[in-house]
Amino acid sequence: MSPTVLRWCAVPLGLLAFALRLVVTFWLEPLTWDQDQHLLMMLAGIVVTVAVPFGILVLLAGGSLRPPARLALGDGRFIAHASPIYACSQAIMWMSLGGGVFGAERVPNGDSMRMVEFGSPTPMTIIGVGFFWAIAAGFLLVRRPRLDLDPNGLTIHRVWRTTAIAWDELAPGGPVPPVRRRARQLRLYLNQTPVFGQYAASEDVPVGWLHADPAFLARALRHYVDNPQERALIGTEEGLRRLRAAAVPTGPSPLVPQTVD
């Protein structure tokens, strides 16, 4: 499944999570009133409302759960786009939360639930649902975080801010591919004065939320740090081919210490 299609699967899966949350509120909760484990059953129902759409997402993603060892070719740059899994899962979560803003109450002398009748619950509910769904739409449309590489350096586009770093600002010999299999951050050390005279200046790349393999990204960045003559080819088909040949190892990576059992 393509990343774009996988990203927009968030819409039906988010609606499913939203509907399941309403089912828990208006159908499951009345069934638990006479049960000793009322709270536990309600929590289990809420977990299911999240587990079902996320389980379907995992099935749909298949091999896409493992990010590829490649970058996209943009206008004079290479791009590591936001992970469609990250965007989709965030959208599902926020749409599900929208199902929890419905003001519900027990029908007097009854065994069912209804919308609260005092005040103005309908406008407030619409505003609440719209707020959570707007956040979900933001994750689908904004497409952050993102990492751009160009001949001058790299640009880290986070959700709330953007950081540009020139190639010559990166410390030589790095970055080293992350040790953890599911790394969330890749630390880049900079040629700057240590913070407070003690801590090495650095920036973190949110590799765990990018649609590119973290180890491949680390090797790609080190390739351009160690080979300034290659930077002029960034953003070209030739540069992409040369980068893949240099950053996708055919055997044990020379950048990571190897152990022998």
Side-chain angles (χ1 to χ4, degrees):
M1 181 177 292
S2 72
T4 300
V5 173
L6 185 59
R7 172 188 295 271
W8 289 104
C9 283
V11 176
L13 293 179
L15 290 173
L16 174 61
F18 177 81
L20 290 175
R21 188 65 182 271
L22 296 183
V23 168
V24 169
T25 299
F26 290 97
W27 178 75
L28 178 62
E29 185 171 355
L31 296 180
T32 66
W33 284 335
D34 296 330
Q35 304 295 323
D36 294 334
Q37 303 296 329
H38 168 75
L39 180 59
L40 183 61
M41 293 180 66
M42 284 297 300
L43 290 176
I46 294 175
V47 169
V48 169
T49 67
V50 176
V52 170
F54 273 91
I56 296 174
L57 173 61
V58 170
L59 293 176
L60 292 175
S64 299
L65 289 173
R66 183 177 180 84
R70 65 173 181 268
L71 296 174
L73 180 60
D75 184 16
R77 58 186 174 168
F78 296 148
I79 306 171
H81 288 289
S83 166
I85 301 294
Y86 168 73
C88 189
S89 60
Q90 288 291 324
I92 292 172
M93 181 189 72
W94 286 102
M95 291 179 74
S96 174
L97 290 175
V101 302
F102 280 78
E105 65 179 1
R106 185 172 183 171
V107 175
N109 302 317
D111 294 322
S112 60
M113 297 287 286
R114 69 181 184 188
M115 293 285 292
V116 293
E117 296 184 348
F118 63 88
S120 302
T122 301
M124 294 303 298
T125 296
I126 293 175
I127 292 173
V129 172
F131 171 77
F132 286 112
W133 285 23
I135 296 177
F139 278 101
L140 296 177
L141 297 174
V142 175
R143 300 199 174 193
R144 287 194 177 199
R146 190 180 80 240
L147 177 67
D148 294 350
L149 310 185
D150 62 44
N152 298 317
L154 58 96
T155 304
I156 308 169
H157 300 272
R158 301 179 181 85
V159 175
W160 300 113
R161 65 187 178 95
T162 298
T163 303
I165 305 173
W167 289 116
D168 292 338
E169 292 184 66
L170 295 175
V176 176
V179 176
R180 295 177 58 186
R181 184 177 180 182
R182 297 185 180 275
R184 290 289 178 256
Q185 303 288 338
L186 176 65
R187 179 147 297 177
L188 309 179
Y189 290 99
L190 308 177
N191 291 319
Q192 297 179 3
T193 303
V195 180
F196 301 120
Q198 182 176 1
Y199 303 101
S202 64
E203 283 286 349
D204 289 335
V205 180
V207 292
W209 292 271
L210 298 177
H211 192 53
D213 180 69
F216 167 78
L217 272 180
R219 288 190 289 265
L221 295 176
R222 182 168 179 178
H223 172 69
Y224 291 122
V225 170
D226 294 343
N227 301 278
Q229 71 279 4
E230 295 287 332
R231 299 171 189 170
L233 294 175
I234 296 177
T236 66
E237 291 282 0
E238 174 65 13
L240 199 60
R241 184 188 65 79
R242 292 169 69 95
L243 174 61
R244 183 165 181 81
V248 179
T250 55
S253 172
L255 302 182
V256 182
Q258 303 295 317
T259 59
V260 179
D261 294 331

